[in-house]
Amino acid sequence: MTRTKPRETEASALACDIVADAFGHDCGLVCRVLAQRGSMTLRELARETHLRSSRCQQAILVMIRHNSIRIMQQENNDEEDNRYQINLEAVLYRLRYSRYLLHIRECYGKTQELFFEVLFQHGMLHTHELFARISVNQYRLDISRTNTTILEQGTNLRSSPKTAHLEDFLPDNII
């Protein structure tokens, strides 16, 4: 026997643990079933995982948004004919996200790191969603920096933090 089969099992188990940790129990359950049984339809997944169809569908949508599931469409475009398959490579790449962020910060700066951090956390986003989430993250960073500075200086806590604007995130040559 070769060692390929146990490695695949170990990789699948690790990927399912990563999915469960990142996205929750339902997604981890869907991942385990797909890793064990291969591609399945929504109805088959709901039956195997013992989840309601709506919860199973939500788990699939979360995982699709993060590129953790591939959709294989059948010839007739009926919704039930779509089969879902786990994307083990994409899931295992999640272990490297911190390295990616460190490299991006070193090469491109903190602004671009913030863009990628939001994308890694939330998956595929529309542009307006991306900027909205970055604004929220930047605002939280500004508040924590302001509070840290205030506490270090021993000044009054009533000073207001700077609000983030779109121009704060774009390089100078774009504006």
Side-chain angles (χ1 to χ4, degrees):
M1 292 207 164
T2 63
R3 296 195 63 182
T4 308
K5 193 66 172 172
R7 275 190 176 162
E8 289 176 7
T9 305
E10 290 171 4
S12 297
L14 177 60
C16 293
D17 289 342
I18 292 168
V19 167
D21 185 51
F23 309 129
H25 174 73
D26 291 350
C27 291
L29 195 57
V30 168
C31 181
R32 284 195 198 292
V33 170
L34 286 175
Q36 290 172 353
R37 306 235 196 283
S39 66
M40 301 177 85
T41 64
L42 176 61
R43 182 173 288 157
E44 293 168 342
L45 271 170
R47 186 176 54 240
E48 290 293 321
T49 58
H50 304 289
L51 294 173
R52 286 179 298 167
S53 182
S54 61
R55 288 186 64 177
C56 192
Q57 185 178 19
Q58 288 175 342
I60 289 171
L61 290 174
V62 167
M63 294 173 67
I64 288 172
R65 189 172 193 153
H66 287 273
N67 197 28
S68 300
I69 285 185
R70 292 186 191 120
I71 303 172
M72 299 182 304
Q73 294 181 341
Q74 301 299 322
E75 293 160 7
N76 57 356
N77 290 330
D78 187 19
E79 191 173 309
E80 270 305 310
D81 289 331
N82 289 340
R83 299 187 71 80
Y84 303 99
Q85 181 180 23
I86 193 72
N87 186 353
L88 287 177
E89 289 180 10
V91 173
L92 293 174
Y93 278 133
R94 291 188 69 79
L95 293 173
R96 298 181 181 171
Y97 282 1
S98 58
R99 287 178 127 183
Y100 296 152
L101 290 175
L102 181 62
H103 179 73
I104 291 167
R105 183 186 326 147
E106 289 174 352
C107 292
Y108 302 106
K110 290 186 178 186
T111 302
Q112 285 73 15
E113 178 193 15
L114 190 57
F115 274 97
F116 281 93
E117 184 177 0
V118 168
L119 287 172
F120 288 157
Q121 287 174 354
H122 300 286
M124 289 184 261
L125 295 172
H126 293 283
T127 307
H128 68 277
E129 293 173 322
L130 176 65
F131 287 124
R133 293 190 190 275
I134 287 173
S135 294
V136 168
N137 285 353
Q138 184 65 34
Y139 182 73
R140 287 181 184 152
L141 285 175
D142 287 344
I143 288 175
S144 66
R145 284 187 200 138
T146 302
N147 289 342
T148 303
T149 305
I150 290 170
L151 292 175
E152 287 173 356
Q153 295 174 352
T155 59
N156 190 353
L157 289 174
R158 293 184 189 199
S159 60
S160 62
K162 177 188 169 213
T163 58
H165 298 284
L166 178 60
E167 295 82 26
D168 296 336
F169 301 109
L170 298 174
D172 294 332
N173 58 358
I174 292 179
I175 299 175

